[in-house]
């Protein structure tokens, strides 16, 4: 990653986050794992950690996140953008944080991007990016936690092999865009969104999520067997599903959501 871009990100973020650093590593198992290890070792500074390549990227529930390096990752030609933002946060309620992050990321990138509850960015019927948030305890301030906000974005075409949803990539909507530019667009607004979330909780992001909801108004099926019509989220970020037995609120992060009749995938 271009050092100018890392400097520009640091300058853009510093006013909102004193002590902030932006760090690029050519290779790491997972930027989330690295920041969680640092947090457990007492390193709780605000930092953006960007990986040229992840060797063991993680999704939710122990799933894998696959990413590609570019021919020369230092020149910013990565096939994937993988990064984690770590910072202490003390919101009154953590509900909906991954949705708030999603709203910020899609707003920074492109109006055509949509959000699939609770942590995916979609382009039409394919997955373009994923969000993984983990937190660590802070010993002497029980109201705050160290939050690690991980984001993985496909920048370039990639095969669907082994993926539960065929992939989309950012170049489809922003032709020629490279990882450094995307990161520069995302980083400072994401920090501001996290600060807003910390102050006001999810409710400030509810309308933003519902405007970008990939599945609002569509028939969906949940991994717990529930079927119904998705109706967006409430002010706490709970998914609302209109079922035969009434309106169901889904909060469990263990639940996966799928369109009941996914449209045929585009042949790109
Ligand atoms: P959910 O709806 O519960 O979020 P999900 O299938 O999206 O289900 P996650 O845990 O959110 O599951 O994301 C991990 C999944 O993302 C993996 O199981 C894999 O199928 C998919 N995946 C991994 N890498 C990529 C990638 N680069 N592009 C698109 N999808 C990917
Ligand atoms: C998902 O779709 O379930 C979430 C995928 C999150 C991937 C990003 S890439 C940067 C950070 N490091 C990881 O190991 N995971 C997140």
């Amino acid at each position: 990653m271009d050092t100018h871009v890392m400097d520009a990100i640091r300058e853009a973020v510093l006013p909102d986050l004193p002590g902030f650093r932006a760090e690029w590593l050519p290779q790491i198992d997972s930027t989330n794992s690295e920041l969680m290890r640092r947090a457990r070792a007492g390193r709780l500074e605000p930092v953006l950690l960007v990986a040229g390549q992840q060797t063991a990227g993680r999704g939710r529930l122990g799933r894998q996140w696959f990413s590609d390096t570019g021919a020369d990752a230092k020149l910013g030609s990565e096939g994937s953008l993988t990064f984690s933002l770590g910072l202490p946060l003390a919101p009154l309620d953590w509900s909906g944080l991954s949705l708030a992050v999603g709203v910020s990321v899609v707003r920074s990138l492109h109006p055509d991007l949509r959000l699939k509850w609770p942590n995916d960015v979609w382009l039409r019927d394919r997955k373009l990016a994923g969000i993984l948030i983990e937190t660590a305890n802070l010993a002497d301030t029980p109201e705050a936690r160290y939050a690690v906000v991980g984001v993985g974005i496909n920048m370039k075409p990639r095969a669907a092999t082994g993926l539960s949803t065929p992939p989309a990539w950012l170049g489809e909507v922003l032709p020629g865009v490279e990882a450094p530019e995307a990161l520069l667009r995302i980083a400072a607004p994401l920090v501001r969104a996290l600060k807003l979330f910390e102050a006001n909780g999810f409710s400030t992001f509810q309308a933003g999520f519902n405007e970008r909801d990939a599945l609002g108004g569509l028939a969906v099926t949940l991994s717990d067997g529930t079927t119904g019509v998705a109706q967006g989220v409430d002010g706490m970020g709970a998914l609302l599903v209109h079922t035969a037995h009434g309106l169901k609120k889904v909060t469990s992060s263990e639940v996966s959501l799928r369109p009941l009749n996914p449209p045929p995938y585009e042949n790109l």
Side-chain angles (χ1 to χ4, degrees), residues 30-32 54 56-60 65 82-84 119-120 127 130-132 150-152:
S30 146
T31 53
N32 263 49
Q54 282 193 146
R58 297 185 287 111
R60 294 194 311 141
W65 180 258
T82 52
F83 67 88
S84 300
N119 70 324
D120 288 0
K127 180 164 171 174
I131 294 159
L132 177 67
V151 181

Side-chain angles (χ1 to χ4, degrees), residues 25-26 34 62 81 83 87 96 108 129 147 183 189 194 201 219 234 236 250 259:
L25 289 176
E34 173 63 13
L81 172 59
F83 67 88
L87 75 171
S108 295
L183 187 60
L194 291 168
D234 69 9
M236 304 297 285
V250 186

Side-chain angles (χ1 to χ4, degrees), residues 20-42:
F20 172 79
R21 285 186 312 111
E23 186 182 337
W24 184 84
L25 289 176
Q27 193 185 69
I28 190 77
D29 54 351
S30 146
T31 53
N32 263 49
S33 301
E34 173 63 13
L35 289 190
M36 289 299 285
R37 282 191 294 266
R38 292 184 187 182
R40 288 189 204 105

Side-chain angles (χ1 to χ4, degrees), residues 58-67 80 116-120 122 127-131 152-154 158-159 162-168 253-258:
R58 297 185 287 111
R60 294 194 311 141
L61 312 170
R63 294 179 188 131
Q64 280 179 283
W65 180 258
F66 301 101
S67 51
S80 313
K116 199 207 76 166
W117 188 94
N119 70 324
D120 288 0
W122 277 20
K127 180 164 171 174
L128 182 132
I131 294 159
I153 301 176
N154 298 324
R158 61 173 305 118
L163 306 181
S164 57
T165 310
S253 58
E254 305 287 309
V255 168
S256 281
L257 173 70
R258 291 275 174 274

Side-chain angles (χ1 to χ4, degrees), residues 177-191:
V177 71
E178 297 289 358
E181 183 197 334
L183 187 60
L184 193 54
R185 289 166 74 136
I186 293 169
L190 177 57
V191 169

